[in-house]
Each structure stands twice: as C-alpha cells, then as structure tokens.
C-alpha cells in the first residue's frame, strides 16, 4: 500500500463578535425624553422657527402676499424711518401707553392683592368679583366699554355728572383716547392680583410679628417686608406686562371705526399700523420689517430689566453682596 501524505489543516480562530454595549439608563431616558418632546420640536421648527426666519428674509423684500417677492435690501427700513410719519406716530402712541399703563396696573394689582389678602368675612366673594373681569372675552368687553365711555349716554360720564364733573368725549377726543384705554385696562387687574395674592400668602407671618414687636407700623411693614418678599413676582409682572403692552392691538382695532386708529391717529398703535400695512395694502415686506423693529425694542428693554433686576429683586436665601 502506498502511503498517502496528508497535509495538516490549519485551524484559524475567528475573532468573537464584539457585543454592543447596552445603553445606560441615562441614555434610555434621554431618548425617551426626545421622543416625548418631538411634537413640540417639530411644531416649533415649522410653526415658529420657520416663520421667524421667513419674516426676517421677507423684511428685505417687497413681498405683497400674492405674487411679488423681490429682494430690495434695506429699502423697507429706510422708508420706515424716513418716509412714514405714521411709523413714528404709532411708536409714540405705543410708548405712551406702555409707560403709563404698565406702572399703574402693576401698582394697582399689588395694592389690590394686599387688600384682598386680609382675613375678613366674605373675602372669597370679593376675590372672585375682582378676578372675573380678567376672564371675560376681549371683544365683548371692548364693545361694553364703548357704551360705558359714550360722551352723552355712557355710565362713566353720567356718574361724573353726579358730582358736578363734565366728562370728556373719551374715544372721540384725541387728548382722551389713550387715557380711556389705560382706564379700561385698570378695570381688569384680576390676573395680576391673583399672582400677588398667591405670593403674599407665602410671606412668613413671623416676619410681621417680629417687626410689630420692634415697633414697625403698617407702612413700615409693607415697605420693608411685603414689597421685598414679593419683588420676584413684581419683576415677572413688569416684564410680561411690558411685552404685552407693546402688543396692544385689539382695543384700537375694535374700538375705532374700521380699525382706523381713532381721531387724529391717536390710537394708531404700532401693531395696528403694522396690521394695516400687511392686510389692507398688502405691503407685507414692510410689515415684516416693522415686526423686527418691534422685536428689537422689546428685546432691548427686556435685557435692560434683567440687568437692573439684581439691584432691587430679592430672592429668598440669596447671598446678596
């Protein structure tokens, strides 16, 4: 028998597959969190972020809503500051309204919250009554106030006549149109009052007792205890009221004929002028530019308030230098 030579076989070892490292609990929670907020992210990108970027680009065009959208550079902004008298009128009217209504409504809400924080019988009824105007429909309230401020048959002038005062024409007199809206704004202090009422009930009673033992009167306790303890809420109310004040639109649109802005353009607020440019004459590119000017103004004032806040806002447990 012939011997057969066999060639030895070399066995090669295949490296074991690397097993994927299982995700940690933090990674799983992060993925789940992104899944939960995905609807908000999608909505923000398509319904907020996208329109914001579109409006920024549109402010440099002659966009007319229907067909035209040509790039014109800074022409809208140049026309805004040099050739549009109503731009400066609307900006003045808005600044006038904000400068007077915001401090008055803030101070009024604080005082109303302090009064409704007293422990007297029937206080819940009074709180409900003062809060009700804050939940009423806007347009219905404006129509009601148009009747109340009527110079001949309105209840306001009728009550003034009872004490021998000849009431003004209110919405028909350019000198009284903006004070009329500010007076109307004071009627709906319930929203701010509710915030201050909640914060006042969180002030430790021991502080008042200690101050009373030291001989502090009501005014001193209000000034040195109540106000410092609620300054975070005051700051929040000031910032939100400032932003809301610059957005005033419905009042002037509903309470003036066809949104014209009242007699002598006294109620042509910034947003009303912007709306008329966008949807009456279809100068949408110009209106987009106005919206960015308004954004810059509000942004600067908000940053200024944030920088100024550490000087007067007191947070409990804060180490103030």
């Amino acid at each position: 028998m012939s011997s057969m030579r066999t060639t030895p076989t070399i066995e090669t070892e295949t490296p074991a597959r690397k097993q994927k490292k299982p995700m940690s609990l933090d990674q799983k929670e992060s993925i789940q969190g992104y899944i939960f907020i995905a609807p908000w992210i999608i909505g923000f990108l398509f319904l907020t972020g996208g329109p914001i970027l579109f409006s920024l680009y549109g402010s440099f065009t002659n966009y007319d809503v229907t067909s035209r959208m040509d790039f014109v550079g800074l022409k809208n902004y140049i026309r805004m500051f040099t050739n549009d008298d109503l731009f400066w009128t609307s900006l003045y009217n808005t600044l006038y309204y904000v400068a007077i209504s915001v401090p008055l409504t803030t101070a009024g809400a604080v005082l109303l919250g302090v009064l409704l924080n007293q422990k007297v019988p029937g206080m819940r009824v009074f709180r409900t009554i003062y809060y009700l105007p804050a939940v009423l429909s806007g347009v219905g309230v404006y129509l009601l106030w148009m009747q109340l401020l009527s110079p001949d048959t309105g209840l306001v002038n009728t009550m003034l006549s009872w004490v021998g005062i000849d009431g003004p024409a209110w919405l028909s007199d350019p000198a009284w149109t903006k004070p009329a809206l500010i007076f109307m704004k004071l009627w709906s202090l319930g929203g701010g009052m509710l915030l201050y009422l909640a914060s006042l009930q969180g002030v430790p009673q021991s502080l008042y007792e200690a101050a009373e033992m030291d001989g502090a009167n009501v005014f001193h306790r209000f000034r040195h205890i109540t106000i410092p303890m609620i300054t975070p809420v005051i700051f929040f109310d000031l910032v939100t009221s400032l932003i809301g004040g610059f957005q005033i639109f419905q009042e002037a649109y509903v309470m003036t004929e066809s949104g014209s802005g009242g007699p002598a353009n006294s109620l042509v607020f910034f947003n009303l002028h912007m709306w008329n440019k966008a949807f009456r004459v279809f100068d949408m590119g110009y209106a987009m530019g106005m919206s960015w000017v308004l954004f810059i103004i509000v942004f600067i004032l908000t940053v200024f308030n944030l920088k100024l806040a550490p000087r007067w806002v007191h947070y409990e447990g804060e180490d103030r230098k």
Side-chain angles (χ1 to χ4, degrees):
M1 294 179 63
S2 59
S3 61
M4 299 180 63
R5 183 177 296 177
T6 59
T7 58
T9 60
I10 301 175
E11 297 182 357
T12 58
E13 295 183 359
T14 59
R17 293 182 178 178
K18 290 185 178 180
Q19 294 183 352
K20 292 184 177 180
K21 187 178 180 180
M23 288 188 297
S24 64
L25 181 60
D26 291 339
Q27 291 175 332
K28 291 180 179 180
E29 290 180 349
S30 299
I31 294 175
Q32 292 173 356
Y34 284 118
I35 293 174
F36 279 118
I37 67 174
W40 180 88
I41 294 176
I42 296 173
F44 175 80
L45 292 177
F46 287 96
L47 301 178
T48 303
I52 288 175
L53 296 177
F54 178 78
S55 69
L56 179 61
Y57 173 74
S59 67
F60 298 101
T61 68
N62 58 358
Y63 183 42
D64 64 352
V65 182
T66 57
S67 58
R68 187 179 61 183
M69 193 174 185
D70 303 319
F71 188 81
V72 295
L74 297 174
K75 286 185 178 180
N76 287 329
Y77 293 96
I78 295 174
R79 178 160 60 100
M80 193 182 306
F81 290 105
T82 59
N83 296 327
D84 186 3
D85 294 334
L86 273 183
F87 171 82
W88 296 107
T89 301
S90 64
L91 185 59
Y92 167 77
N93 290 338
T94 306
L95 291 173
Y96 179 99
Y97 176 82
V98 171
I100 297 179
S101 67
V102 171
L104 283 180
T105 53
T106 301
V110 170
L111 294 177
L112 188 59
V114 171
L115 292 175
L116 295 179
N117 192 41
Q118 307 303 314
K119 296 180 180 180
V120 297
M123 185 54 68
R124 292 184 179 180
V125 177
F126 287 104
R127 292 172 182 172
T128 304
I129 293 173
Y130 279 100
Y131 181 69
L132 280 177
V135 299
L136 296 180
S137 173
V139 175
V141 170
Y142 306 147
L143 294 176
L144 172 63
W145 274 97
M146 290 177 66
Q147 299 297 323
L148 293 175
L149 295 174
S150 175
D152 299 324
T153 61
L155 181 61
V156 175
N157 280 0
T158 300
M159 295 178 65
L160 290 175
S161 65
W162 293 347
V163 293
I165 299 176
D166 187 15
W170 296 112
L171 298 176
S172 301
D173 186 351
W176 285 95
T177 51
K178 287 185 286 292
L181 293 191
I182 295 171
F183 175 64
M184 184 181 69
K185 183 69 175 179
L186 293 174
W187 180 69
S188 58
L189 295 175
M193 175 272 298
L194 194 65
L195 289 175
Y196 292 115
L197 184 61
S199 62
L200 287 168
Q201 293 184 354
V203 178
Q205 192 64 28
S206 58
L207 296 178
Y208 293 109
E209 294 174 355
E212 189 174 1
M213 292 179 61
D214 290 339
N217 56 29
V218 175
F219 175 76
H220 290 153
R221 294 198 298 271
F222 176 77
R223 178 184 175 185
H224 297 289
I225 297 178
T226 303
I227 293 298
M229 293 299 291
I230 65 173
T231 47
V233 180
I234 295 176
F235 173 67
F236 170 80
D237 189 28
L238 281 174
V239 172
T240 54
S241 298
L242 182 73
I243 297 173
F246 274 98
Q247 295 176 346
I248 181 173
F249 167 77
Q250 286 186 349
E251 294 88 334
Y253 182 76
V254 174
M255 301 178 72
T256 60
E257 185 177 358
S258 301
S260 60
N265 296 322
S266 58
L267 290 182
V268 178
F269 294 111
F270 200 90
N271 274 4
L272 181 61
H273 182 42
M274 181 170 57
W275 189 91
N276 287 332
K277 283 290 185 181
F279 299 107
R280 287 189 182 275
V281 299
F282 296 104
D283 195 355
M284 184 63 75
Y286 184 86
M288 289 177 175
M290 289 186 63
S291 69
W292 278 95
V293 171
L294 181 63
F295 168 76
I296 293 172
I297 293 173
V298 174
F299 179 78
I300 292 174
L301 291 176
T302 303
V303 171
F304 176 76
N305 283 327
L306 290 172
K307 293 293 184 181
L308 200 62
R311 299 186 180 183
W312 63 276
V313 179
H314 169 75
Y315 293 98
E316 188 174 357
E318 180 184 30
D319 185 15
R320 300 178 68 88
K321 295 181 180 180

